[in-house]
Amino acid sequence: MGLLRTIFIIVLVYYLFKVLSRIFAPLLMKFAVKKAEERFGGQFQKQQQEPVNKEGEVTIDKIPNTRTSNKDVGDYVDYEEVD
């Protein structure tokens, strides 16, 4: 009797999940689409508000935290052009 009761509960939970997912899945999808639209729209707005630089103009967006350079990076290699 306990086995039949367990199988009945599993089947009941399965069908309950199917019914609830049909009801709430469209709502969750609308919510996810709205959030993605806000995120991408915000990026587009931010990009539109930034001033446009002239062609060839150099701008620095981020200044590095350290002011020292690492001289032990590697060896300098001078390449020659072969004709």
Side-chain angles (χ1 to χ4, degrees):
M1 198 66 173
L3 179 65
L4 290 176
R5 183 177 177 198
T6 304
I7 292 173
F8 176 72
I9 291 173
I10 291 172
V11 170
L12 183 68
V13 168
Y14 172 74
Y15 280 109
L16 185 65
F17 179 75
K18 279 180 62 173
V19 169
L20 291 177
S21 66
R22 286 185 183 220
I23 294 171
F24 291 115
L27 297 175
L28 291 173
M29 291 299 292
K30 285 181 185 179
F31 178 75
V33 167
K34 187 187 301 183
K35 282 296 191 182
E37 183 178 326
E38 288 174 2
R39 183 174 44 211
F40 291 128
Q43 289 177 356
F44 180 71
Q45 292 288 340
K46 181 182 174 187
Q47 193 174 34
Q48 291 296 326
Q49 292 174 354
E50 291 181 4
V52 178
N53 298 331
K54 294 179 183 176
E55 185 176 341
E57 187 176 321
V58 177
T59 59
I60 300 174
D61 293 332
K62 181 180 175 187
I63 299 173
N65 293 335
T66 59
R67 299 282 180 181
T68 61
S69 63
N70 190 0
K71 298 291 182 184
D72 299 328
V73 174
D75 295 331
Y76 176 74
V77 178
D78 188 20
Y79 291 101
E80 293 184 13
E81 187 176 330
V82 178
D83 291 327

